[in-house]
Amino acid sequence: MKAIPVLQSGLEASWTGTEFAPVFGRTMQPALAVVFVAVGLVYAGKYLVTRGDVRREAVYAVVSSAALGLGAVAGVQALGLSL
């Protein structure tokens, strides 16, 4: 008895391709994590000391949260996990 070939569906065809390659190499990821977390902590400190100027507080909060988020992602990737 012959095996019937199964056609690849459109969804399965879209999932095939090249593997993900990070923009920065593995050797740079720990340094990037430290830099981003340091910048995030500096701006979090600036946010804590700034009082009265709402625009400046908003800028510090956005920069701090973005830098800490990027630092967390770079740190996790440095540990070997791909998100």
Side-chain angles (χ1 to χ4, degrees), residues 61-83:
V62 168
V63 171
S64 172
S65 109
L68 287 173
L70 287 172
V73 169
V76 168
Q77 286 181 344
L79 292 175
L81 302 174
S82 294
L83 299 178

Side-chain angles (χ1 to χ4, degrees), residues 1-82:
M1 185 178 270
K2 285 185 177 181
I4 301 172
V6 178
L7 297 177
Q8 200 173 26
S9 72
L11 181 62
E12 291 175 1
S14 68
W15 281 97
T16 59
T18 60
E19 291 183 10
F20 171 75
V23 176
F24 299 105
R26 284 200 161 299
T27 56
M28 286 193 63
Q29 289 172 350
L32 284 174
V34 169
V35 168
F36 279 130
V37 168
V39 168
L41 290 176
V42 165
Y43 276 94
K46 283 185 174 187
Y47 172 78
L48 289 175
V49 236
T50 304
R51 296 284 181 239
D53 191 5
V54 176
R55 272 189 242 141
R56 188 178 295 170
E57 286 181 1
V59 169
Y60 290 160
V62 168
V63 171
S64 172
S65 109
L68 287 173
L70 287 172
V73 169
V76 168
Q77 286 181 344
L79 292 175
L81 302 174
S82 294

